């Protein structure tokens, strides 16, 4: 089956690059799966409140246990999301469009793919996208700030305009 996939992708990607990327993604997938399963097992074994199920906890200990549980859950969720991105990258590899920028179509540098195996854009296109998003957020924030000022002015006028002297 690997030869069929290699043949299918040789139009854009060499067989050696395909094999190297496939190996890298498979390793990352296995690593992430092991981490997710391990963390979930640890959380189940520890149980609620960090393994202190039979102990009476004061408010501070209970709060710390809640925070620890939230952190563990967040870590598991982040690893799971990364695993999903790696799985998506493997699907793109099988389709023959992995390792190529979504925007410009150029090959994504192997160094970038090693650092971020689920990258969908080359460095230049990703930087351009991030700059555009930042500009959009700044523009939206300015517009939102202006709208807030207008609404505050409008509400202060409404308060002053109450004829019966009652402020709402």
């Amino acid at each position: 089956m690997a030869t069929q996939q290699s043949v299918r992708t040789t139009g854009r990607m060499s067989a050696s690059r395909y094999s190297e990327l496939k190996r890298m993604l498979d390793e990352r997938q296995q690593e992430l799966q092991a981490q997710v399963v391990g963390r979930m097992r640890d959380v189940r074994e520890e149980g609620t409140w960090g393994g202190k199920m039979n102990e009476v906890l004061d408010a501070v200990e209970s709060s710390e246990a809640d925070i620890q549980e939230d952190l563990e859950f967040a870590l598991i969720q982040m690893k799971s999301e990364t695993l999903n991105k790696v799985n998506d990258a493997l699907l793109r590899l099988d389709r023959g469009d992995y390792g190529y920028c979504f925007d410009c179509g150029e090959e994504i540098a192997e160094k970038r793919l090693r650092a971020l195996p689920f990258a969908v854009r080359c460095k230049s296109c990703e930087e351009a996208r991030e700059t555009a998003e930042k500009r959009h957020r700044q523009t939206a924030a300015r517009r939102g700030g202006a709208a807030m000022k207008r609404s505050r002015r409008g509400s202060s006028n409404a308060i002053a305009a109450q004829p019966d002297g009652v402020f709402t």
Side-chain angles (χ1 to χ4, degrees), residues 15 24 28 30 42 46 56-57 64 72 74 76 78 107 124 127 132 134 140 156-157 161 164:
M24 179 186 66
R28 191 69 173 261
Q30 290 170 3
D42 292 346
E46 287 179 11
V56 176
L57 302 177
E64 288 174 357
E72 285 297 323
I76 291 169
M78 285 173 26
E107 254 188 32
S124 298
E127 287 173 349
K134 182 178 179 184
S156 64
N157 291 341
D164 57 0

Side-chain angles (χ1 to χ4, degrees), residues 13 16-26 90 93 98-99 110 113:
M13 182 183 301
S16 62
R17 179 168 162 88
Y18 175 89
S19 297
E20 176 62 24
L21 293 172
K22 175 90 167 128
R23 184 190 58 75
M24 179 186 66
L25 288 169
D26 285 339
L90 281 164
L93 183 66
Y98 176 76
E110 190 168 332
L113 290 175

Side-chain angles (χ1 to χ4, degrees), residues 87-106:
N87 290 336
D88 289 344
L90 281 164
L91 290 173
R92 288 195 315 274
L93 183 66
D94 286 341
R95 284 193 318 251
D97 59 358
Y98 176 76
Y100 296 93
C101 179
F102 276 4
D103 294 343
C104 70
E106 295 294 317

Side-chain angles (χ1 to χ4, degrees), residues 59-120:
V60 172
E61 289 174 327
S62 178
S63 178
E64 288 174 357
D66 288 344
I67 291 170
Q68 186 62 36
E69 284 180 13
D70 289 347
L71 287 172
E72 285 297 323
F73 178 73
L75 286 171
I76 291 169
Q77 188 174 13
M78 285 173 26
K79 293 286 184 183
S80 294
E81 289 169 2
T82 303
L83 178 59
N84 287 337
K85 289 178 182 179
V86 169
N87 290 336
D88 289 344
L90 281 164
L91 290 173
R92 288 195 315 274
L93 183 66
D94 286 341
R95 284 193 318 251
D97 59 358
Y98 176 76
Y100 296 93
C101 179
F102 276 4
D103 294 343
C104 70
E106 295 294 317
E107 254 188 32
I108 299 172
E110 190 168 332
K111 190 175 184 181
R112 178 167 171 76
L113 290 175
R114 285 193 183 284
L116 196 65
F118 43 82
V120 295

